[in-house]
Amino acid sequence: MTVTAGSRSFDSLDPATGEVVGTHPVHSAADVRAAVERATAAGRWWAGLGHAARKTRLLDFKAVLTQNIRRIAALVSAETGKPLGDATLEVVLVIAHTDWAARHAPKVLGPRRVFPGLLGANLSATLEYQPLGVVGVIGPWNYPVFTPAGSIVYALAAGNAVVFKPSEYTPGVGALLVELFAESVPEHPVLQVVTGFGETGAALAGDPGIGKIAFTGSTPTAKRVMTACAKNLTPLVAECGGKDALIVAADADLRAAADAAVWGAMSNAGQTCVGVERVYVVDAVYEPFMRELTEIAGRVRAGEHYGPITMPGQLDVIDRHIGEAVASGTAVVGGPGSVRPPYVDPVVVVDVPADSPAMREETFGPTVTVSRVADAEEALVRANASAYGLGGTVFSRDRRRAMDLARRMRGGMTAINSIISFAGVPALPFGGVGDSGFGRIHGADGLREFARPKAISRQRFPLPGMNLTTFSRGQAELDRLVRLVTILHGRRKH
Ligand code: NDP
């Protein structure tokens, strides 16, 4: 990406070649305001369509995405540098999520009767989830369609209009999504894009017309976005970084675990929020696991199996983490010389102290640390000793043991005997704890994230002698109430 000082447009570049992929406007705060104004009116229309009509439109959008897989994937590949195959996989995941969100929104969010309780026997109680209005989506560059789509399609399915601010590295993908959505929804600008830099995102987060911000990006930026949101008490869902761990238990399929560790760490050049950054291997299987790992990682080639580092500034972070890791640990694949801008070759370092940046901070490169632990319990304790808590992985053939470890792993998602498999299951919510953020995208929770519950209690008939919400209430009503409550709730269990 290049920009000329004072100019109102900027270029997105192919990080592998430096070629210009596209030129996009730098939208000002006034532009953002105007987009949110348009979205407010469009959102009213979209909400008014109702669930059934929105489902039809979103399923049509899914078909448009499907017909344009190659075009979208080519642009994702050009703007991020990732291989076309990985970009294609990303678009396929978006299609699956769009289908799920469209089909499930009516049932998850639509009106339902709930039991009013015996004390409310004369009431009819209805719960429904109403749209928030305009959702502002701020997205990263590493999965420029899949990641923001996890907010965009769920917010749209919930009946909101969306203003999307893509990363400055991938603005073209954002613009293309909007263009394709308009094929299914041509009447009003229900999905819009605003492009530019951090200031454009900040204007969106601070806009008074926004019902919620869905932010995906780094933890420090999430804090800045939260500050901007505070001005208008705008709620926020924050999908931030991670330092995910993979645990290899003594009974694991070692070949499969090593293969998963390498793919989890190196695919997309390690620029994956739920990528594997730390591996904890039980002592009993450490040596055979390392043989598998080094053999598999040794065959992975930067520029062939994965692309360049998309954001040039990240190269320094990766370089520093590798340098500090090998200062006290041992590189078994690659090393400090592996950073060859814009590429980084695979790096595996063992015996890195727990306080090293490579063990604590998000590296976001094709690097992984491996630590030997006494048993799976120690692996869990060390995996959980992180400020981050996003995803994680457990390899064990014992189903109950693996489930127990997965439940106790700190973070929103854990995959067992597979790698990041949760991300491809639309029904499963996605999100983190701690420095990895809060709130959820995907699944029913992801739909409810972009809606507000509306509770309605309708009195069907007055309860004779039991009107408690009146100044004409007497002692007799209270006595009756206490008798009823005692019958309902007064019996002790032991
Ligand atoms: P950044 O935090 O740098 O940027 C994220 C987005 O925020 C970009 O669109 C950026 O715009 C925008 N932005 C920057 N400053 C501001 C501001 N002050 N106010 C509002 N918006 C702003 O993250 P990256 O793009 O580098 O993405 C990588 C990060 O994203 C990693 O930490 C990764 O772990 C995380 N991530 C998390 C995921 C999850 O689901 N939990 C999924 C994918 C990535 P611009 O680019 O123009 O500066």
Side-chain angles (χ1 to χ4, degrees), residues 248-261:
V248 184
D251 63 348
D253 176 338
L254 298 182
R255 182 81 186 167
D259 194 63

Side-chain angles (χ1 to χ4, degrees), residues 238-377:
E239 298 285 345
C240 306
K243 191 73 192 169
D244 288 4
L246 181 147
I247 296 175
V248 184
D251 63 348
D253 176 338
L254 298 182
R255 182 81 186 167
D259 194 63
V262 172
W263 195 85
M266 319 289 175
S267 62
N268 205 32
Q271 303 167 116
T272 304
C273 54
V274 284
V276 175
E277 300 221 351
R278 300 173 291 151
V279 177
Y280 295 99
V281 190
V282 167
D283 182 50
V285 293
Y286 182 82
E287 310 295 346
F289 173 81
M290 286 310 294
R291 276 197 295 279
E292 299 281 4
L293 184 80
T294 48
E295 188 228 308
I296 297 169
R299 282 191 272 114
V300 177
R301 298 275 168 269
E304 179 188 343
H305 296 104
Y306 59 78
I309 299 304
T310 307
M311 194 170 62
Q314 194 66 23
L315 286 158
D316 294 337
V317 175
I318 298 167
D319 200 35
R320 176 171 59 86
H321 284 199
I322 295 172
E324 297 214 22
V326 299
S328 39
T330 309
V332 293
V333 175
S338 299
V339 179
R340 314 179 278 112
Y343 294 96
V344 177
D345 293 320
V347 178
V348 180
V349 190
V350 300
D351 302 330
V352 181
D355 60 355
S356 178
M359 297 291 278
R360 292 166 55 85
E361 299 167 20
E362 188 178 45
T363 308
F364 234 49
T367 66
V368 69
T369 61
V370 187
S371 308
R372 189 197 290 258
V373 289
D375 51 27
E377 278 309 310

Side-chain angles (χ1 to χ4, degrees), residues 5-317:
S7 76
R8 299 273 301 145
S9 67
F10 67 108
D11 296 333
S12 74
L13 305 180
D14 183 326
T17 61
E19 277 169 31
V20 175
V21 179
T23 303
H24 300 270
V26 178
H27 285 121
S28 65
D31 297 330
V32 170
R33 186 79 276 278
V36 175
E37 286 280 338
R38 286 192 297 274
T40 305
R44 266 189 226 113
W45 172 81
W46 180 241
L49 280 187
H51 280 294
R54 281 199 300 272
K55 177 178 167 184
T56 307
R57 299 299 187 102
L58 285 167
L59 290 177
D60 186 70
F61 176 51
K62 174 195 74 169
V64 172
L65 288 173
T66 309
Q67 287 169 5
N68 285 276
I69 286 182
R70 285 176 206 288
R71 186 176 164 208
I72 306 166
L75 187 53
V76 169
S77 173
E79 285 196 326
T80 61
K82 70 175 71 178
L84 198 56
D86 287 359
T88 307
L89 193 62
E90 197 184 323
V91 186
V92 169
L93 282 176
V94 174
I95 291 164
H97 277 280
T98 306
D99 183 68
W100 194 93
R103 290 185 194 284
H104 288 80
K107 185 141 189 278
V108 172
L109 304 175
R112 83 192 58 162
R113 296 274 290 276
V114 296
F115 182 54
L118 289 176
L119 290 174
N122 62 331
L123 301 175
S124 162
T126 306
L127 168 63
E128 66 187 48
Y129 292 84
Q130 299 181 344
L132 304 173
V134 182
V135 171
V137 175
I138 301 175
W141 45 265
N142 59 342
Y143 291 90
V145 225
F146 174 65
T147 296
S151 298
I152 292 171
V153 299
Y154 287 81
L156 290 169
N160 303 284
V162 172
V163 178
F164 173 34
K165 156 64 180 69
S167 163
E168 68 201 55
Y169 294 96
T170 54
V173 179
L176 179 56
L177 273 185
V178 169
E179 179 192 324
L180 296 176
F181 186 75
E183 288 191 26
S184 301
V185 184
E187 296 94 332
H188 295 279
V190 173
L191 174 63
Q192 296 175 78
V193 68
V194 288
T195 49
F197 305 99
E199 300 75 45
T200 307
L204 189 61
D207 192 282
I210 291 290
K212 187 161 199 168
I213 287 287
F215 170 82
T216 310
S218 63
T219 309
T221 310
K223 292 178 183 176
R224 284 196 284 277
V225 169
M226 206 166 170
T227 304
C229 284
K231 193 172 74 174
N232 299 303
L233 218 58
T234 303
L236 169 73
V237 45
E239 298 285 345
C240 306
K243 191 73 192 169
D244 288 4
L246 181 147
I247 296 175
V248 184
D251 63 348
D253 176 338
L254 298 182
R255 182 81 186 167
D259 194 63
V262 172
W263 195 85
M266 319 289 175
S267 62
N268 205 32
Q271 303 167 116
T272 304
C273 54
V274 284
V276 175
E277 300 221 351
R278 300 173 291 151
V279 177
Y280 295 99
V281 190
V282 167
D283 182 50
V285 293
Y286 182 82
E287 310 295 346
F289 173 81
M290 286 310 294
R291 276 197 295 279
E292 299 281 4
L293 184 80
T294 48
E295 188 228 308
I296 297 169
R299 282 191 272 114
V300 177
R301 298 275 168 269
E304 179 188 343
H305 296 104
Y306 59 78
I309 299 304
T310 307
M311 194 170 62
Q314 194 66 23
L315 286 158
D316 294 337
V317 175

